[in-house]
Amino acid sequence: MNAQGFKRLALAAILAVAILAPLGLKNYGVYLLSLWALYAIAAQGLNLTLGYAGQISLAQAAFFGIGAYISALATTAGMSFWLALPLAGLACFIIGALIGFPALRVQHHYLAFVTLGFNVLVFLVLRNEEWLTGGTYGVANIPRPALFGLSLGGPLAFYYLCLALLVLMTAMFWHIVRSPWGRAFAALRDNPERAASLGISIVTYTLLAFAIGSAAAGIAGAAFAPLVEYIDPTPFTLSLSLAFLLMVVVGGQGTLTGPFIGAALVTLLPEWLRWTEGYYLMVYALAVMVLMVVCPSGLTGLFDMARRRWERSP
Amino acid sequence: MSDIVQLFVSGISTGAIYALAAMGFTLLWQTTGTINFAQGEFVMLPAFIMLAAMNLLDVGLLSAFVISLVVSMVLLGAAFKRALVDPMAHHGVLPLIIATIALGIFMKEAVKTFYSAEAQPFAAFAPEGAMRIGPVSVSIENIAVLAVAVVAILALQLFLQRTFAGRCMQAVAQNRESARILGVPVERMVLYTFLINAALATLAALLVTPTYLAKFDNGESLGLIAFIAAIVGGFNQMRGALAGGLLIGLIDNFTAVYISTQYRHAIPLILLIVVILFRPQGLFGRAEERRL
Amino acid sequence: MTQALFDARNIARSYGGVTALNNVSFAVFEGEIVGLIGPNGSGKTTLFNCLLGQLRADGGTVRLRGRDVTGWRANALARAGLGRTFQLLQVFGGLSVRDNLIVAAQEHIATLARRLFAPRTLGLDEQVEAALERFRLTALGDAPAASLSYGQQKLLDLAMALMAEPDIVFLDEPAGGVTPSMLDEIGEILLTLNRVTGTTFAIIEHNMDFIMELSDRVVVLAEGEVLTSGTPEEVRGDERVIEAYLGG
């Protein structure tokens, strides 16, 4: 089987598992799956910024948070979720483009620090501006939406909403990376100087990469708010941004399936490692270190290596 | 007036501790391109090694410090280099960033699980109380911290500038390939920088922990401050990290008193973003030839 | 008097007090192949970088078809009709050979938003196949560019610079590191393009035989200044040029 066919098969398998997985699960299990779907959307966004366009960002949790707050504040004030969702995406698109400006001046580690700084600043604003965000008290009673009169309030129904969002967003990313934009992103990542000499605008595409990646986090966050029904600033710290980065790199940056696997590891692994009691984060951290030493291209890279070896053997 | 002097002294003394962590951070960056996201945990762990030594072996603070120094240099210096940085030398910047993030989580969780999740009191090495100099009184602890940090920084500077090994290390930091051609034992010099980083972190732990108490998540804010200090000062120069550390220490103390405590942590971040955007070489760093 | 296609006047650049370019002026006319030569350190590469939006010049003006393009960014220059190659190979190793060719031309087609929804190849298929054939890369169209041999990458590099059909192409050492047979091939391709499609070239080159053979006119740089310019024959016989090369 060629690589393309393998990729399609992998995506189809993931979708099939994702549709069937919640049947027979208790509410908590369904909640975890919903969380996985939303994390995967945000990770897809970061994957575009980082994996395809080569710009590191440690502010993904900030956009996830901005999206969540916009949706929470808008829907508790009576706005429809179906309006709040694109609004959150649009707001994050614009703020993401602004955050992209530093990337035009500085690269790599500097950019990591600027975005990291932005994430902490957003957290401080969420915590301190009580008049707007409710501060540490947060926003409660966030309603879950209905679609054509059909309530999506139940855990299972809401999970399928999250999954539908994930499928839509994945289709969008699939289209983008295969479009001329995707080619321009890849060219910029490989060699910005040469790309510019061929007429590719570094400014436009860098800002676009940030804006699209951030918008994805905003949309995921907008659905996160009704999922948990109560938000305060605590989930949106730097740790979550680091977790998103882990999802992308551990899953395999620059691949379409990588973020799914990465997000699954971050949300589900702690549950599977329950038997290790308090040790799971240590086991997890250790596994990440070993993976980075052995195969820096992440798990999909590891699968590729295994597949090629398997194909070569008679 | 007395308040301002007191604030200034305490700011400089906290800043000197930040500078220790920031200088180690800069050293690692210069010699190996390692951006150590676990730098804060590199300061947190030695504090717990000291605590463990004092509790288990029933030794004094000074002996505990020496033990911690040795253990840290082995674990956070040599082993860190051998096990994590060396194997990833050709993997690019990002995988190593991820690996150090994971290392930080690992260290935090290990301390939380095997030692304690609660904040532990930590003995100060200097007596409490204030000292009067003319009309103003300053805390003895602050002065002692400052004195120790200044001695350590001076010793490091002397080592780097006056000894053969120190100059070799600088050569490696500036241009690894030329240093190799000139016959500098590059690998050994790189190892030295990792050992020095571990030693600086242990010293920072000794000085900072009495104020903040020993807690497994101390490293989060400390690591961030070390980054900020290193970048604001100038990533390509040791004296930049020193100046950056002092500056952040001062800002930290003054904003806590004169500006809102709510946004106390925001000021260094805003400074960081402004510096990166408008003076990426840092306030005290050398400008590199920039292309369009 | 005909207007120069590309006209650089009094380009100056210094690095921390050391003058790299001292008021260099030169022009390229439509349909010409101009060679830019000079000993090492004479400022050729700095001049290219200043003209092509890589480095900001301290002074001087650059005009393309009479339009002032001084200080423009590289991507704006490219879209105004100026192509280039670099001294070191610069292909996008992760992309296929076809995608390298498409990406080299795509920004000249349609608007940004239209490109998002346009077909993958943007209707460039014919042009891509023609380029593949001309540079004998047809069999390698779907291979990642990084898997090509050095010589093939060199050809691809050149093909990319030409994809958008620029008015003028700046080549930085096209003969560098190339085998003699490949050298002939490159020379032939450049000449054909020049004669048939009227593409104008400005070329930095160390290989004297190659550049003298190819150029209509040669500009000699020495110590950051234009020493002389003229036909290859005139330059070849000029004592000052020989002196500059022998290390005056």
Side-chain angles (χ1 to χ4, degrees):
Chain A
M1 192 188 302
N2 64 11
Q4 194 66 32
F6 193 81
K7 223 181 277 173
R8 282 194 191 139
L9 192 73
L11 277 175
I14 290 173
L15 184 62
V17 171
I19 290 173
L20 297 175
L23 306 173
L25 276 183
K26 294 203 184 78
N27 281 356
Y28 183 66
V30 179
Y31 161 77
L32 277 181
L33 281 176
S34 312
L35 197 60
W36 162 77
L38 299 182
Y39 279 176
I41 293 173
Q44 286 279 19
L46 183 60
N47 188 34
L48 182 87
T49 317
L50 176 73
Y52 289 98
Q55 306 283 349
I56 190 167
S57 166
L58 286 176
Q60 200 68 348
F63 291 108
F64 194 70
I66 292 170
Y69 268 91
I70 288 178
S71 143
L73 293 172
T75 53
T76 48
M79 191 195 270
S80 157
F81 172 77
W82 305 109
L83 213 58
L85 185 79
L87 186 70
L90 184 68
C92 289
F93 185 91
I94 293 166
I95 304 170
L98 293 177
I99 280 298
F101 272 101
L104 301 172
R105 293 186 59 97
V106 293
Q107 294 271 304
H108 308 305
H109 52 284
Y110 286 113
L111 193 56
F113 293 127
V114 174
T115 51
L116 177 156
F118 173 75
N119 201 124
V120 180
L121 285 176
V122 167
F123 174 78
L124 287 175
V125 170
L126 292 180
R127 198 193 60 190
N128 294 339
E129 299 307 314
E130 220 164 272
W131 60 275
L132 180 68
T133 64
T136 46
Y137 301 109
V139 183
N141 301 322
I142 302 162
R144 286 191 179 176
L147 186 63
F148 306 124
L150 191 73
S151 164
L152 299 175
L156 199 60
F158 197 82
Y159 165 68
Y160 284 120
L161 167 69
C162 296
L163 188 62
L165 271 180
L166 176 61
V167 171
L168 267 175
M169 294 300 284
T170 304
M172 190 189 87
F173 281 112
W174 188 79
H175 177 79
I176 289 176
V177 300
R178 284 173 47 86
S179 79
W181 284 18
R183 211 183 284 117
F185 287 143
L188 269 186
R189 178 194 59 197
D190 272 13
N191 190 336
E193 210 173 46
R194 177 59 161 158
S197 84
L198 296 168
I200 296 169
S201 165
I202 297 180
V203 177
T204 310
Y205 283 103
T206 304
L207 297 188
L208 266 179
F210 266 95
I212 298 171
S214 308
I219 286 173
F224 174 76
L227 170 69
V228 290
E229 296 176 301
Y230 163 79
I231 54 166
D232 69 353
T234 34
F236 312 115
T237 53
L238 190 57
S239 322
L240 183 60
S241 275
L242 294 178
F244 282 132
L245 187 67
L246 278 177
M247 290 179 213
V248 172
V249 176
V250 169
Q253 49 168 320
T255 66
L256 219 51
T257 42
F260 293 113
I261 300 167
L265 282 182
V266 171
T267 42
L268 305 180
L269 201 63
E271 303 303 318
W272 295 337
L273 290 176
R274 272 257 165 103
W275 55 273
T276 61
E277 289 170 20
Y279 301 114
Y280 87 86
L281 261 175
M282 274 190 279
V283 176
Y284 180 61
L286 210 58
V288 169
M289 283 188 268
V290 172
L291 180 71
M292 286 298 105
V293 169
V294 177
C295 186
S297 56
L299 283 174
T300 47
L302 209 60
F303 295 152
D304 266 357
M305 255 159 62
R307 185 171 57 84
R308 257 176 267 137
R309 200 159 294 175
W310 179 70
E311 277 172 357
R312 231 175 290 146
S313 64
Chain B
M1 179 61 203
S2 179
D3 280 356
I4 292 183
V5 174
Q6 172 61 49
L7 262 180
F8 186 80
V9 172
S10 70
I12 289 280
S13 102
T14 351
I17 304 173
Y18 295 162
L20 292 176
M23 286 165 84
F25 186 74
T26 305
L27 265 181
L28 290 196
W29 163 253
Q30 285 183 327
T31 49
T32 54
T34 305
I35 300 166
N36 185 14
F37 270 81
Q39 186 76 353
E41 280 71 33
F42 273 40
V43 177
M44 178 275 296
L45 189 67
F48 278 92
I49 299 175
M50 281 184 249
L51 276 178
M54 282 189 285
N55 291 341
L56 298 176
L57 307 175
D58 204 22
V59 295
L61 182 61
L62 192 66
S63 319
F65 173 69
V66 174
I67 292 170
S68 175
L69 193 65
V70 174
V71 176
S72 302
M73 282 166 85
V74 171
L75 281 182
L76 305 179
F80 172 54
K81 174 180 183 292
R82 278 288 163 76
L84 219 53
V85 178
D86 285 352
M88 301 177 65
H90 303 293
H91 291 183
V93 184
L94 191 63
L96 188 53
I97 288 181
I98 302 284
T100 60
I101 290 172
L103 178 64
I105 295 174
F106 182 79
M107 287 163 71
K108 246 185 329 207
E109 288 300 313
V111 167
K112 187 169 134 191
T113 313
F114 295 119
Y115 201 98
S116 170
E118 303 299 318
Q120 306 288 312
F122 194 91
F125 69 99
E128 280 182 37
M131 192 167 69
R132 290 198 77 81
I133 308 173
V136 297
S137 74
V138 290
S139 130
I140 296 176
E141 204 183 333
N142 282 341
I143 297 288
V145 165
L146 191 56
V148 173
V150 165
V151 168
I153 290 165
L154 282 179
L156 179 61
Q157 291 293 340
L158 278 178
F159 171 74
L160 286 176
Q161 274 155 21
R162 296 291 157 79
T163 67
F164 182 68
R167 283 201 298 266
C168 284
M169 276 174 60
Q170 288 201 313
V172 171
Q174 269 155 29
N175 191 327
R176 208 180 164 116
E177 278 319 300
S178 329
R180 194 190 304 279
I181 291 162
L182 292 171
V184 174
V186 171
E187 276 311 308
R188 182 141 40 96
M189 293 305 134
V190 170
L191 178 63
Y192 287 173
T193 61
F194 278 77
L195 296 180
I196 290 174
N197 178 45
L200 287 174
T202 311
L203 190 62
L206 176 74
L207 301 181
V208 82
T209 319
T211 338
Y212 290 105
L213 305 180
K215 198 166 177 223
F216 70 95
D217 62 358
N218 274 0
E220 288 171 13
S221 55
L222 250 162
L224 192 58
I225 286 171
F227 295 151
I228 297 178
I231 289 178
V232 165
F235 221 23
N236 52 12
Q237 287 210 322
M238 288 289 281
R239 66 185 168 89
L242 175 59
L246 295 178
L247 185 66
I248 300 293
L250 281 174
I251 289 175
D252 212 23
N253 275 263
F254 276 92
T255 48
V257 174
Y258 291 105
I259 308 175
S260 80
T261 45
Q262 284 187 326
Y263 282 105
R264 179 182 174 184
H265 299 296
I267 307 283
L269 288 167
I270 293 169
L271 185 66
L272 169 83
I273 292 174
V274 169
V275 164
I276 288 184
L277 288 185
F278 298 103
R279 213 181 139 76
Q281 74 271 31
L283 293 176
F284 310 98
R286 251 186 325 238
E288 282 158 31
E289 175 66 27
R290 273 179 67 76
R291 308 199 119 197
L292 283 177
Chain C
M1 203 178 111
T2 50
Q3 186 191 40
L5 173 61
F6 182 87
D7 192 8
R9 292 268 168 86
N10 301 321
I11 303 297
R13 168 79 200 193
S14 56
Y15 294 102
V18 181
T19 305
L21 295 174
N22 186 13
N23 294 330
V24 173
S25 299
F26 84 104
V28 183
F29 292 88
E30 183 114 45
E32 261 192 323
I33 298 181
V34 173
L36 200 65
I37 65 168
N40 281 329
S42 59
K44 299 185 301 283
T45 298
T46 305
L47 178 63
F48 253 41
N49 285 336
C50 284
L51 298 180
L52 303 177
Q54 303 290 328
L55 204 62
R56 194 174 282 281
D58 299 333
T61 54
V62 183
R63 282 172 189 282
L64 186 64
R65 286 202 190 285
R67 184 167 169 205
D68 191 346
V69 296
T70 314
W72 280 27
R73 285 176 191 273
N75 59 299
L77 287 172
R79 297 194 53 177
L82 187 152
R84 76 166 297 186
T85 64
F86 291 80
Q87 196 168 350
L88 295 173
L89 266 183
Q90 312 245 5
V91 299
F92 304 114
L95 296 179
S96 72
V97 171
R98 265 200 186 82
D99 276 338
N100 267 280
L101 291 171
I102 298 172
V103 86
Q106 70 173 36
E107 298 301 307
H108 301 257
I109 298 170
T111 60
L112 184 67
R114 295 281 282 281
R115 282 199 293 276
L116 179 59
F117 300 105
R120 242 181 92 64
T121 54
L122 286 154
L124 285 164
D125 307 67
E126 263 177 49
Q127 227 177 311
V128 167
E129 295 315 313
L132 286 173
E133 200 165 317
R134 165 172 282 152
F135 290 91
R136 292 199 283 110
L137 294 167
T138 309
L140 296 161
D142 294 320
S147 70
L148 268 55
S149 73
Y150 180 84
Q152 287 164 334
Q153 289 193 28
K154 196 99 191 172
L155 290 175
L156 176 59
D157 198 20
L158 186 58
M160 285 161 68
L162 297 164
M163 266 307 280
E165 296 170 355
D167 295 333
I168 178 167
V169 187
F170 284 74
L171 305 176
D172 198 346
E173 299 202 15
V178 167
T179 60
S181 66
M182 176 84 65
L183 194 63
D184 291 342
E185 193 178 338
I186 291 177
E188 221 161 275
I189 289 171
L190 295 180
L191 273 180
T192 314
L193 281 166
N194 178 252
R195 304 285 180 262
V196 177
T197 57
T199 312
T200 308
F201 290 98
I203 307 172
I204 292 184
E205 190 47 74
H206 276 296
N207 186 325
M208 280 301 160
D209 293 333
F210 179 76
I211 198 74
M212 291 296 182
E213 180 101 353
L214 209 60
S215 304
D216 300 312
R217 201 155 55 82
V218 175
V219 177
V220 186
L221 273 186
E223 291 173 10
E225 297 187 25
V226 175
L227 188 65
T228 181
S229 75
T231 63
E233 289 70 34
E234 287 165 3
V235 168
R236 220 192 284 269
D238 195 321
E239 270 176 34
R240 289 173 301 169
V241 176
I242 298 166
E243 214 169 282
Y245 267 91
L246 291 178

